[in-house]
Amino acid sequence: GSELRVVLIANRSDSKDRERLEQIRPTGASQVKVALLQTRLSRLRIQQVMESRGNAERWRPAICDWLVASRLLFGEESVSLRLCDTLEALLESPEPRGALIELLLHRVPTVSRTSAVDFV
């Protein structure tokens, strides 16, 4: 017989995704398979992307450290590969600290200004 495969791809997962998948998971001996696959940015992948985009080698370690530390402290929502270019541009400025604090507060609106200042 024919087989239908449905794949949904999202940039981020919602906190209720697991719950929703459990609700639609069939009971009994059904042929339907439901799975949630999650990935996260690794240091290696961040470095590969920066290399392919041509981000300045000078800033790559700092950008990578920012993305990894931000993810660990503030969660997945705080990171995106699109930030590589933004972070590089900010780091190139003579006084990047204020702009970096504002960037973090924009990405993670629930973080306090004190925490953002300490992070930067």
Side-chain angles (χ1 to χ4, degrees), residues 85-101:
D85 296 337
T86 303
L87 288 167
E88 180 179 16
L90 294 177
L91 290 169
E92 289 285 348
S93 70
E95 294 292 329
R97 187 170 173 78
L100 290 169
I101 291 167

Side-chain angles (χ1 to χ4, degrees), residues 37-41 76:
L37 303 175
Q38 293 180 292
T39 62
R40 67 172 34 156
L41 291 176
E76 299 292 336

Side-chain angles (χ1 to χ4, degrees), residues 100-109 111:
L100 290 169
I101 291 167
E102 293 307 317
L103 173 67
L104 182 59
L105 290 170
H106 175 74
R107 297 290 303 182
V108 190
V111 73

Side-chain angles (χ1 to χ4, degrees), residues 9-58:
I9 300 174
N11 196 23
R12 308 224 187 304
S13 63
D14 184 90
S15 60
K16 297 203 179 252
D17 284 344
R18 287 190 190 281
E19 181 182 318
R20 289 180 187 121
L21 284 174
E22 287 302 319
Q23 289 173 348
I24 64 169
R25 191 179 307 276
T27 56
S30 173
Q31 295 292 334
V32 177
K33 295 179 185 174
V34 177
L36 173 63
L37 303 175
Q38 293 180 292
T39 62
R40 67 172 34 156
L41 291 176
S42 67
R43 223 173 240 286
L44 177 61
R45 183 66 182 139
I46 295 166
Q47 291 167 347
Q48 289 170 337
V49 167
M50 286 191 291
E51 187 176 323
S52 71
R53 285 185 175 173
N55 291 100
E57 209 166 315
R58 170 184 180 191

